[in-house]
């Protein structure tokens, strides 16, 4: 899960990282009000979860609160890389002497967090990384020892940070490491971290990604999720505790167990079809959950057939059948459905579905073949 700049900066600030004064606004009048409080000279910043907002025209300097209002109107009407701008951050404008890059992420090959820094921070950091990777300093962090002071000092030296800033840089890096560790982040990034003309270190931008699998222990962070940017089907799936990933194919799949779901997708491909989604309803799913899953599958306009492949263990096939019937009653699907029920209460499940005009299959191969056939318009 990615956080917006204003959210990331609020968290940074709680950990003692200096950020500019500012607040988020949802309309131009609010932006004007905030700009007035900040003395007029502000930067108006689109809050969308993509990089390169500056280059796309989504970051603009205003010299007065009047101009802040105008720019907020403009920016709030923009789409940046396909994402509508719903909020702007209005920050006091600062005069920049130097832009630095500072970030921490996971380095998979060394299985450790890595701190990255560069003297050439700012909007062209991707280019710096591609063309002159030696200008990006990397330091591995031992997860048990944490970021050591000498490491941060080495970084300060390597990026030619003037000596008067060393002390504050070291404490800022330590704070960023604490943010990373304590929020279960997979990325924390400040680009640019600036030296201002009046000789302060300030985090001008902020980016954070939190590990979705750790959100259960960060309910305060989970609430910050921006639902605007997520596909409605995925929001719905999360609500019911379903693991759902939309894909590009035409056969909707409802399966229990991630392994069986993957095997089902593979076998669909083997017989010339392609799956419209990955969907694991999980163990012990009741009728409610099954109905939600089917609704989600059928909401995808690409779906030409549905393949339901349930291996009843903890999950009872009669419950699955009841869920299917409930969903069918509601959605009235126009696509053919192939069902394979095996295991606990399979007989009962099949009996319940007997009148529902479904294509049944005994084996996984048969189920896959039939669904590919009907998806491609065959009888
Ligand atoms: P990004 O393009 O999405 O990474 O957005 P940033 O927040 O990093 O802003 C892009 C660039 O705008 C920064 O690298 C700065 O050069 C510039 N910028 C942002 N805030 C200010 C500010 O308060 N004053 C000045 N002069 N420039 C700013
Ligand atoms: Mn940036």
């Amino acid at each position: 899960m990615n956080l917006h700049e204003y959210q990331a900066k609020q968290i940074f600030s709680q950990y003692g990282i200096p950020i500019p004064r500012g607040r988020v606004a949802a309309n131009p009048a609010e932006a004007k009000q905030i700009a007035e409080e900040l003395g007029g000279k502000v930067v108006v910043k689109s809050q969308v979860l993509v990089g390169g907002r500056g280059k796309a025209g989504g970051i603009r300097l205003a010299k007065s609160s009047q101009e802040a209002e105008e720019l907020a109107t403009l920016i709030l009407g923009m789409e940046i890389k396909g994402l509508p701008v719903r909020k702007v951050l209005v920050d006091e404008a600062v005069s920049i002497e130097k832009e630095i890059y500072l970030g921490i992420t996971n380095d998979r090959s060394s299985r450790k967090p890595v701190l990255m820094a560069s003297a050439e921070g700012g909007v062209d950091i991707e280019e710096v990384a591609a063309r002159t990777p030696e200008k990006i300093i990397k330091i591995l962090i031992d997860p048990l020892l944490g970021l050591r002071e000498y490491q941060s000092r080495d970084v300060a030296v390597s990026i030619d940070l003037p000596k008067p800033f060393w002390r504050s840089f070291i404490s800022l890096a330590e704070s960023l490491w604490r943010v990373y560790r304590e929020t279960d982040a997979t990325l924390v990034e400040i680009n640019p971290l600036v030296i201002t003309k009046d000789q302060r270190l300030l985090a001008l931008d902020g980016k954070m990604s939190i590990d979705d699998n750790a959100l259960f222990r960060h309910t305060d962070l989970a609430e910050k999720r921006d639902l605007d940017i997520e596909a409605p089907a995925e929001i719905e799936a999360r609500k019911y505790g379903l693991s759902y990933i939309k894909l590009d194919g035409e056969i909707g799949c409802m399966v229990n167990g991630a392994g069986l779901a993957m095997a089902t997708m593979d076998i669909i491909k083997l017989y010339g079809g392609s799956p419209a989604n990955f969907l694991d309803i999980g163990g012990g799913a009741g009728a409610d959950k099954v109905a939600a899953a089917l609704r989600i599958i059928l909401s995808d306009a690409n779906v030409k057939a549905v393949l339901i492949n349930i291996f009843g263990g903890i999950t009872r096939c009669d419950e699955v059948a009841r869920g299917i019937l409930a969903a069918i009653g509601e959605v009235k699907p126009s696509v053919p459905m192939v069902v394979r029920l095996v295991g606990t209460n399979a007989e009962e499940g099949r009996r319940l579905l007997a009148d529902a005009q479904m294509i049944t299959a005994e084996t996984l191969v048969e189920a896959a073949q039939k669904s590919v056939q009907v998806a491609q318009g065959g009888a």
Side-chain angles (χ1 to χ4, degrees):
M1 173 184 116
N2 297 321
L3 295 184
H4 281 294
E5 175 193 2
Y6 76 94
Q7 298 167 325
K9 275 156 75 175
Q10 266 162 17
I11 295 170
F12 290 173
S13 171
Q14 284 159 14
Y15 280 79
I17 296 173
I19 60 167
R21 291 183 301 143
R23 272 205 336 268
V24 76
N27 60 58
E30 256 182 276
K32 183 179 184 194
Q33 169 68 33
I34 298 167
E36 256 159 33
E37 290 167 24
L38 294 172
K41 285 194 178 160
V42 292
V43 47
V44 183
K45 313 185 74 176
S46 54
Q47 298 298 290
V48 280
L49 295 171
V50 286
R53 297 166 304 160
K55 286 188 175 172
I59 310 277
R60 303 279 296 271
L61 280 163
K63 286 187 254 358
S64 65
S65 57
Q66 184 60 40
E67 199 184 348
E69 186 179 21
E70 287 161 20
L71 288 173
T73 310
L74 183 81
I75 293 174
L76 284 165
M78 284 173 70
E79 257 190 17
I80 299 182
K81 298 181 185 170
L83 295 175
V85 181
R86 308 232 196 254
K87 286 186 178 131
V88 290
L89 174 63
V90 183
D91 266 0
E92 61 176 333
V94 297
S95 301
I96 301 172
E97 192 168 287
K98 187 175 171 57
E99 300 197 7
I100 296 162
Y101 174 93
L102 184 65
I104 302 175
T105 188
N106 263 333
D107 181 47
R108 285 171 183 266
S109 53
S110 59
R111 298 185 226 104
K112 282 180 182 159
V114 59
L115 179 134
M116 295 170 296
S118 177
E120 303 201 9
V123 295
D124 290 323
I125 191 70
E126 270 87 15
E127 217 166 294
V128 175
R131 292 212 183 142
T132 47
E134 71 280 2
K135 289 187 175 163
I136 302 199
I137 312 298
K138 293 184 178 171
I139 295 234
L140 293 173
I141 301 171
D142 185 312
L144 296 178
L145 297 176
L147 179 66
R148 313 314 312 260
E149 197 178 312
Y150 78 87
Q151 294 182 302
S152 302
R153 199 178 311 112
D154 277 354
V155 172
V157 173
S158 305
I159 61 171
D160 291 325
L161 191 74
K163 200 161 184 187
F165 296 104
W166 285 9
R167 189 180 292 276
S168 43
F169 178 82
I170 289 166
S171 105
L172 195 149
E174 167 66 21
S175 299
L176 193 64
W177 162 246
R178 278 181 45 226
V179 174
Y180 180 84
R181 203 192 48 200
E182 289 174 17
T183 63
D184 286 309
T186 52
L187 172 76
V188 290
E189 187 182 271
I190 305 175
N191 185 37
L193 169 65
V194 300
I195 300 179
T196 62
K197 288 253 160 67
D198 58 2
Q199 306 299 293
R200 290 179 296 148
L201 271 182
L202 209 53
L204 234 54
D205 190 7
K207 193 168 166 184
M208 279 181 77
S209 306
I210 313 289
D211 184 345
D212 281 334
N213 292 317
L215 283 177
F216 73 94
R217 57 184 181 195
H218 300 288
T219 43
D220 52 328
L221 294 176
E223 281 165 14
K224 295 184 195 286
R225 190 187 284 277
D226 184 344
L227 297 178
D228 270 356
I229 56 133
E230 296 195 24
E234 286 173 17
I235 297 169
E236 187 72 5
R238 191 171 319 104
K239 209 164 79 192
Y240 285 92
L242 301 161
S243 308
Y244 171 85
I245 296 162
K246 185 177 156 28
L247 302 167
D248 298 329
E250 73 287 344
I251 299 177
C253 307
M254 176 157 75
V255 190
N256 63 330
L260 187 59
M262 286 192 276
T264 305
M265 291 160 64
D266 281 351
I267 210 157
I268 285 172
K269 285 197 170 174
L270 184 66
Y271 289 104
S274 81
N277 63 274
F278 167 93
L279 198 165
D280 171 14
I281 60 169
D288 271 14
K289 215 167 165 179
V290 171
L294 196 52
R295 278 200 308 270
I296 290 165
I297 292 174
L298 293 169
S299 70
D300 177 353
N302 291 338
V303 168
K304 302 270 185 315
V306 177
L307 168 51
I308 298 168
N309 183 26
I310 300 296
F311 188 84
I314 310 170
T315 309
R316 287 164 35 201
C317 294
D318 58 315
E319 276 290 312
V320 172
R322 270 183 260 277
I324 294 171
L325 291 175
I328 290 179
E330 240 174 85
V331 191
K332 310 248 183 313
S334 55
V335 299
M337 296 207 243
V338 180
V339 190
R340 174 182 178 242
L341 297 178
V342 189
T344 312
N345 296 0
E347 285 293 297
E348 164 102 31
R350 281 193 219 113
R351 202 175 47 72
L352 283 167
L353 290 178
D355 296 331
Q357 311 233 309
M358 299 203 144
I359 303 161
T360 55
E362 293 288 320
T363 67
L364 180 49
V365 167
E366 189 191 343
Q369 284 175 325
K370 284 185 170 170
S371 47
V372 171
Q373 201 178 16
V374 292
Q376 293 172 354

